[in-house]
Amino acid sequence: MNGDSVDTDLARTWVQAIAAAVDKYKDHLTQLDSAIGDADHGTNMKRGFSAVTTAPADDKPDTVGAVLAQTGATLISSVGGASGPLYGGAFRAMGKALDAPTADTRQFATALAAGLESIQKLGAAAPGDKTMIDAYAPALAAFQQHAGAGADFAAAALAAADAAEEGMRATIPMQARKGRASYLGARSIGHQDPGATSAALIFRALARTVVAR
């Protein structure tokens, strides 16, 4: 990997970093979800990414896209609730957009856009609905802006992580309009969305992985 691309090893390391972050913050995710959801987001995310990281060693994908597509397929098959299909579909869409051994910053931006499109298509949510999209969409916008300006992969990933965390925090005053939290109406105000929180973890894991290489 150089400063302008991601290879299969980095893609695998990113997924492992997500799994580590989810394991570290699983109780926090569950606590957030207990306030406005089913109280299972941390458990479900932990189950899914644990399954991803324990995939058979003899079944290693040889392209960035294949790594992400396999991750998505595993999440879909192993995670309960809405997060499995949503995140699984996003990773599969990202994988389909990348079929080479490496991906440069602009190509990865295209893949991230495909991931968001998948989430929006399945979840029928938009920015402001108090969902994972409120972290993912600003992260994508930041990544695309840096990629378009010719920034290297690390700079784009760091900007995306910062934007995701800002979007995550911005869900606190929102009233949920999608998912189980929407049933609470005004009572959902004042709580940070668990899906936006896990999305921010995913983007921060990407930034840390890229910077560490």
Side-chain angles (χ1 to χ4, degrees), residues 31 85 99 103-104 112 177 204:
Q31 182 180 27
D99 60 359
D104 64 25
L112 288 175
R177 295 197 292 260
R204 182 56 66 186

Side-chain angles (χ1 to χ4, degrees), residues 6 14 18 64 68 89-98 103-120 135-145 147 153 156-161 199 202-203 206-207:
V6 54
W14 174 34
I18 296 172
V64 174
L68 300 181
F91 274 94
R92 285 185 66 182
M94 290 167 60
K96 290 179 181 179
L98 300 170
D104 64 25
T105 310
R106 290 175 183 267
Q107 290 169 329
F108 202 81
T110 298
L112 288 175
L116 178 59
E117 182 180 359
S118 173
I119 292 173
Q120 290 180 307
Y136 196 129
L140 170 61
F143 196 99
Q144 288 174 323
Q145 180 180 9
F153 200 99
L158 284 167
I202 288 171
F203 279 99
L206 176 63

Side-chain angles (χ1 to χ4, degrees), residues 135 138-139 142 146 155-169 200 203-204 207:
H146 280 69
L158 284 167
D162 290 345
E165 289 170 0
E166 183 176 349
M168 170 192 77
R169 291 187 291 270
F203 279 99
R204 182 56 66 186

Side-chain angles (χ1 to χ4, degrees), residues 48-76:
F49 279 96
S50 293
V52 169
T53 57
T54 55
D58 59 351
D59 188 26
K60 287 188 176 180
D62 58 0
T63 68
V64 174
V67 171
L68 300 181
Q70 184 183 72
T71 297
T74 303
L75 291 175
I76 290 171

Side-chain angles (χ1 to χ4, degrees), residues 6-46:
V6 54
D7 58 19
T8 54
D9 285 341
L10 187 137
R12 293 190 190 100
T13 303
W14 174 34
V15 173
Q16 292 165 356
I18 296 172
V22 166
D23 182 56
K24 181 178 181 179
Y25 292 103
K26 63 181 183 295
D27 291 340
H28 178 56
L29 292 173
T30 294
Q31 182 180 27
L32 292 174
D33 199 32
S34 68
I36 58 175
D38 293 328
D40 60 358
H41 190 55
T43 302
N44 286 340
M45 292 292 288
K46 165 68 173 175

